[in-house]
Amino acid sequence: MSEKLKQLKTLLAEVADLNAVQALLGWDQQTYMPQAGGEARGNQLATIGKISHEKFTSDVIGKLLGDLENELNGADPDSDDLRLLNITRHDYDRATRVPSEFVAEYAVVTSKAFEAWMEARGKSDFSIFQPHLEKVVELNQRYVTFFPPADHPYDVLLDQFERGMKTADVKAIFNALSPQQVELLRAIAEKPQVDDSFLHVEYDEKKMWDFSEVIATKFGYDWERGRQDKSAHPFSTNFSINDVRITTRYEPDNPANMLFSTMHETGHALYELGGNPAYERSPLAGGTSLAVHESQSRMWENLVGRSLPFWEHFYPEFQKLFPAQVGNVDLQTFYKGINKVEPSLIRVNADEATYNMHIMLRLELEIGMIEGTVKVKDLPEIWNTKMDEYLGITPPNDAKGVLQDIHWSGGALGYFSTYALGNLVSAQLWEKITADIPDLEDQFRKGEFSALLAWLREKLHVHSRKYKPQELVERVTGSRINSDAYVRYLKNKFGEIYGL
Amino acid sequence: MSEKLKQLKTLLAEVADLNAVQALLGWDQQTYMPQAGGEARGNQLATIGKISHEKFTSDVIGKLLGDLENELNGADPDSDDLRLLNITRHDYDRATRVPSEFVAEYAVVTSKAFEAWMEARGKSDFSIFQPHLEKVVELNQRYVTFFPPADHPYDVLLDQFERGMKTADVKAIFNALSPQQVELLRAIAEKPQVDDSFLHVEYDEKKMWDFSEVIATKFGYDWERGRQDKSAHPFSTNFSINDVRITTRYEPDNPANMLFSTMHETGHALYELGGNPAYERSPLAGGTSLAVHESQSRMWENLVGRSLPFWEHFYPEFQKLFPAQVGNVDLQTFYKGINKVEPSLIRVNADEATYNMHIMLRLELEIGMIEGTVKVKDLPEIWNTKMDEYLGITPPNDAKGVLQDIHWSGGALGYFSTYALGNLVSAQLWEKITADIPDLEDQFRKGEFSALLAWLREKLHVHSRKYKPQELVERVTGSRINSDAYVRYLKNKFGEIYGL
């Protein structure tokens, strides 16, 4: 290895350590930190964030990058060293193109916007949030100008979360998906609804927790390299490839959600745990994008955890744990209950078949706001119109409508579509996996998931951030991200459940 | 405030944040970190430690210190600003006088010494540790040379833990204490031993834990600003004045130790919680020294938690919790049992009356090693001779003798005496407190500790690191650290228990 490459890696390792430390500060804040510790924690997060930014954007790193780009000119484009250089350049440009005065202004604006959003949502009064969101949109438009002209200004925002993804791609994907998903939902709506009343009774929290951990273990989660704790909002986080943690929560009105949440976060964690150890403490470590990450969490939660073969194995055990709740509920009824499709107002509670509609709505609004074709003041009306168009329901107020999500108040535009893209990718991967492992369902019926995990590790996880998301999906499945597989999956699954 | 002082405070706040972050990394490592996370945690600790050191020893801080020393020349010597300058200068000189090559060599030597000590203790073979300890001693001797000549070379080591403390002071204190404590132990040995068999049976861990937290609450521990977790070795730590945490452990052969350990760590925590909030994120924050810290932990554990008035209130509750263990044990028997005096081989298990003897032994050896009058190779023999002289017992092997403590293997010489000094200070404070609050024991009999805590906060805690330890003790009690009060306390307490 050249002396300069060695030097760069040493500097990047330091930055990686700082980022891991920041993640630990966040984990502790959401799990164990005493209530009064918040103010000091804010200072600590700010200090580490500042130092990490300073170290990463230093001229030394800029100079090394330039020198190494010359040195490695003509090297194998798939070599780890060149890929490391590429992704470091990507992240470095992202971090250095934005002036620090802008970053400071952004922090002030979003901090106020967050406060305003809290109040607006509480009072269900959009007008409180409106001027703040207008500033957020204006800042995002300004942010775009710091980067070389793109095909579409929204590309620059998307790229923060899905490296290399284009607005045109996302639009095309969703344009293909939208009519088919609407059609499916109409067909389901005409059929008798399934029963899920047994999910909305009391379950013992400790038993549900223990069962969740049994399932995480079965999925292959390594407790010597991770742990599960409680937090208000479930998440997964990691401080190294050997310390990848998950959290879950108990919701009294939806107790089984603890289980599905654990499955979901286990999916995220397995992705991180399966990364290439050689990439540790470098920008190549971690998952390649939010969408690919979400494909893993959704896969373990939905394609595995809400599948019939899974429950053919685990339902007797579940019934034995909760005889009063599901002792008299047969497997088919239970299976249909956990897959109930029902248009609803709140995205985070949406089922597999309606979820993407919530995302498409938000994506259209975001693109419109950035283009200037959608005015912030018109958002509530457009929101409600589209909710009716896509899901046939209208929010009774803005708290349950346009004000429900935290994302915009924090300044994050460009984020939402990754949730839906993750669903699509999970189905694309699934078709490939079931072709490669024909007896996969039989394995689930025996409570066996090791072949699935081994496949994911070998084909997907081990590449960490080496390939861009689209590039990775194409390498693994043969196609770029598209909705065909997901539509087939939905039609097949819900066709059976609702007898379409 | 002058611009320069403002600037210095900003830089110091950043360093304080880094140190708090390092403490969190350590807390997590000892409480929740998954087993495999250790290697990455080592990197993270090293990176934060390095950055914190670089930031603190920067020329900017050095220049500001010099300029401000001129600017504040003649200011009120007790003003916070001047005190901040003094302590920052003290810490800065400590951090900058030692060349970084020395620090690196020290890290390598102590890392190897630790490994060797582990092996030596496991095999009870001092010869394995001997060459490493010789190097550690040599490095400590070299360390001393980086500082201006002191009255005694050991002064430089002591000053790391007890700012301003002199070897001559410590020697004088222990020379006065030693014969009196030996005499007391001889007198106790002639009396019939008390019974503590009821402490060495099984207790329910959960009940003991809950009772421990009840007591911590009664002592005034604020759960909104702290929490208790489990760890292999109990400790207290803090990440700000509003986030001060404790840990405890359950030892099957000594279950009640969980309770006394919680009391001990609560004592440390209350000291930190009572600091001056105006000193946050500066070198003035925190406890002034290890000895003063230990005076607080020992006070709550021993002078409060092992006192008769305390148990007059809590014993009925304790009996109700553990009827099988102590239901038939009367209060006096229980009180004597938890205060049993018995010369023993291991320092960490020693009772109040024998503990200081273990310290004096170590102090004499440390001073001898630094002076060169005690050779490392002779340590086992000297150790065993002194154990017989001080406590009348001889270790059966070096694992239970000279190899028992971790401290020397980590390079820490100068540390041990703070444990004993803490005991002495606790008794000095106690005489003052009981004079100021004549009905203190009656308050304990009602389970009331708020007057004690209020006194400690007002007289001691609120000064944080503003005064040097000797200076602080003198301010609060009227005398410098000495053993008179502690000897009176021991004679009085154990005179009653053993009927001397």
Side-chain angles (χ1 to χ4, degrees), chain B residues 24-59:
Chain B
L24 177 70
L25 289 166
W27 173 85
D28 180 70
Q29 187 168 33
Q30 292 187 65
T31 53
Y32 294 113
M33 189 184 78
Q35 205 183 308
E39 193 187 331
R41 183 53 48 88
N43 287 328
Q44 292 150 12
L45 281 163
T47 291
I48 298 292
K50 179 170 159 277
I51 296 172
S52 167
H53 182 80
E54 279 169 9
K55 296 249 173 209
F56 183 58
T57 59
S58 73
D59 294 344

Side-chain angles (χ1 to χ4, degrees), chain B residues 27 30-31 209 229-235 246-250:
Chain B
W27 173 85
Q30 292 187 65
T31 53
W209 176 280
D229 299 277
K230 263 177 104 164
S231 66
H233 299 278
F235 64 100
I246 60 176
T247 72
T248 191
R249 68 171 162 193
Y250 182 83

Side-chain angles (χ1 to χ4, degrees), chain A residues 11 76 113 135 217 220 253 282 334 337 382 415 417 463:
Chain A
L11 293 172
D76 172 8
K135 272 191 202 143
T217 309
D253 56 343
S282 93
F334 179 79
I382 308 179
Y415 192 115
S417 62
H463 298 304

Side-chain angles (χ1 to χ4, degrees), chain A residues 14 17 20-21 24-25 27-28 32-36 40 43-44 47 50 224 226-227 239-240 242-243 245, chain B residues 14 17 20-21 24 27-28 32-36 40 43-44 47 50 224 226-227 239-240 242-243 245 281:
Chain A
E14 212 175 35
D17 286 341
V21 164
L24 178 69
L25 290 166
W27 173 85
D28 180 70
Y32 294 112
M33 190 185 77
Q35 206 183 308
N43 288 328
Q44 291 149 12
T47 291
K50 181 171 159 276
E224 291 197 357
R227 51 178 295 113
F239 320 128
S240 77
N242 288 318
D243 191 348
R245 307 185 190 182
Chain B
E14 210 174 36
D17 286 341
V21 164
L24 177 70
W27 173 85
D28 180 70
Y32 294 113
M33 189 184 78
Q35 205 183 308
N43 287 328
Q44 292 150 12
T47 291
K50 179 170 159 277
E224 291 196 356
R227 51 176 295 114
F239 320 128
S240 77
N242 288 317
D243 191 348
R245 308 185 189 181
R281 301 178 80 212

Side-chain angles (χ1 to χ4, degrees), chain A residues 103-393:
Chain A
V103 174
E105 188 185 348
Y106 195 83
V108 172
V109 167
T110 53
S111 161
K112 284 183 193 160
F114 174 74
E115 298 294 329
W117 169 74
M118 289 281 280
E119 191 193 341
R121 195 181 57 159
K123 296 181 177 164
S124 195
D125 179 353
F126 183 74
S127 71
I128 299 170
F129 185 44
Q130 185 191 318
H132 296 275
L133 183 54
E134 281 164 354
K135 272 191 202 143
V136 165
V137 170
E138 193 266 312
L139 281 180
N140 268 278
Q141 286 166 334
R142 194 133 50 94
Y143 177 85
V144 168
T145 65
F146 300 131
F147 295 86
D151 300 341
H152 190 288
Y154 191 75
D155 288 0
V156 178
L157 304 180
L158 261 179
D159 182 78
Q160 297 173 92
F161 310 106
E162 292 297 314
R163 187 162 49 113
M165 180 69 70
K166 302 281 177 197
T167 310
D169 298 335
V170 180
K171 272 187 172 173
I173 292 166
F174 288 134
N175 284 341
L177 173 63
S178 178
Q180 304 208 59
Q181 198 148 2
V182 169
E183 192 194 340
L184 176 71
L185 289 175
R186 290 220 176 108
I188 290 173
E190 282 164 20
K191 294 288 177 176
Q193 187 49 290
V194 304
D195 174 30
D196 72 341
S197 56
F198 48 87
L199 293 175
H200 303 286
V201 295
E202 213 188 312
Y203 285 69
D204 181 76
E205 181 178 340
K206 173 78 170 67
K207 281 188 194 171
M208 191 65 83
W209 176 282
D210 290 344
F211 186 69
S212 300
E213 294 205 335
V214 166
I215 299 304
T217 309
K218 286 276 182 184
F219 282 180
Y221 187 61
D222 180 352
W223 297 97
E224 291 197 357
R225 300 164 65 204
R227 51 178 295 113
Q228 173 165 278
D229 299 276
K230 263 177 104 165
S231 66
H233 299 279
F235 64 98
S236 81
T237 185
N238 63 294
F239 320 128
S240 77
I241 198 172
N242 288 318
D243 191 348
V244 183
R245 307 185 190 182
I246 60 176
T247 72
T248 191
R249 67 171 162 194
Y250 182 83
E251 296 163 276
D253 56 343
N254 199 359
N257 230 22
M258 175 179 260
L259 171 61
F260 292 109
S261 174
T262 296
M263 291 179 184
H264 183 96
E265 301 308 335
T266 299
H268 282 302
L270 290 173
Y271 185 17
E272 294 286 339
L273 287 165
N276 188 337
Y279 299 161
E280 274 295 278
R281 303 178 80 213
S282 93
L284 284 177
T288 192
S289 78
L290 294 187
V292 176
H293 239 300
E294 203 69 8
S295 80
Q296 298 306 288
S297 55
R298 293 278 177 177
M299 181 184 290
W300 289 99
E301 177 192 354
N302 291 330
L303 287 95
V304 179
R306 290 187 211 267
S307 75
L308 191 54
F310 174 93
W311 285 104
E312 286 177 41
H313 181 81
F314 287 105
Y315 195 52
E317 197 175 330
F318 192 78
Q319 283 184 303
K320 213 180 283 174
L321 272 175
F322 302 108
Q325 293 83 354
V326 292
N328 296 320
V329 177
D330 66 38
L331 172 64
Q332 277 293 333
T333 307
F334 179 79
Y335 169 65
K336 289 179 179 178
I338 59 171
N339 284 294
K340 183 181 176 184
V341 173
E342 191 169 47
S344 62
L345 296 168
I346 306 297
R347 176 184 58 84
V348 296
N349 300 335
D351 54 74
E352 276 187 275
T354 57
Y355 190 90
N356 287 348
M357 305 308 297
H358 293 268
I359 296 305
M360 283 187 259
L361 160 62
R362 287 157 178 77
L363 178 71
E364 286 170 43
L365 297 181
E366 285 191 356
I367 294 175
M369 284 192 280
I370 292 302
E371 284 174 345
T373 53
V374 168
K375 298 281 166 235
V376 168
K377 71 169 169 47
D378 300 329
L379 280 183
E381 204 193 311
I382 308 179
W383 184 285
N384 294 349
T385 309
K386 285 201 182 279
M387 276 300 283
D388 186 38
E389 185 187 332
Y390 289 166
L391 290 167
I393 51 176

Side-chain angles (χ1 to χ4, degrees), chain B residues 359-472:
Chain B
I359 297 305
M360 284 188 258
L361 159 64
R362 286 157 178 77
L363 179 71
E364 287 171 43
L365 297 182
E366 284 191 357
I367 294 175
M369 284 191 280
I370 291 302
E371 285 174 342
T373 52
V374 168
K375 298 280 164 236
V376 170
K377 71 170 171 44
D378 299 329
L379 279 184
E381 202 193 313
I382 307 179
W383 184 284
N384 294 349
T385 309
K386 285 201 181 280
M387 277 300 285
D388 185 39
E389 185 186 333
Y390 288 167
L391 290 167
I393 50 177
T394 309
N397 55 50
D398 288 341
K400 294 189 172 177
V402 68
L403 287 172
Q404 69 183 262
D405 296 303
I406 194 176
H407 302 59
W408 292 340
S409 79
L413 272 77
Y415 191 116
F416 277 122
S417 62
T418 67
Y419 291 130
L421 294 173
N423 285 334
L424 308 188
V425 173
S426 72
Q428 287 178 267
L429 290 167
W430 202 248
E431 290 195 346
K432 187 79 180 134
I433 292 162
T434 46
D436 285 357
I437 314 173
D439 68 335
L440 193 68
E441 294 203 341
D442 280 339
Q443 295 187 19
F444 290 1
R445 286 189 189 96
K446 293 181 205 139
E448 267 296 330
F449 307 95
S450 53
L452 171 59
L453 181 58
W455 191 99
L456 290 170
R457 279 192 180 148
E458 185 200 326
K459 310 279 185 193
L460 189 78
H461 298 175
V462 74
H463 299 304
S464 302
R465 281 186 84 202
K466 182 168 178 175
Y467 303 110
K468 292 181 193 176
Q470 283 278 30
E471 195 186 358
L472 181 63

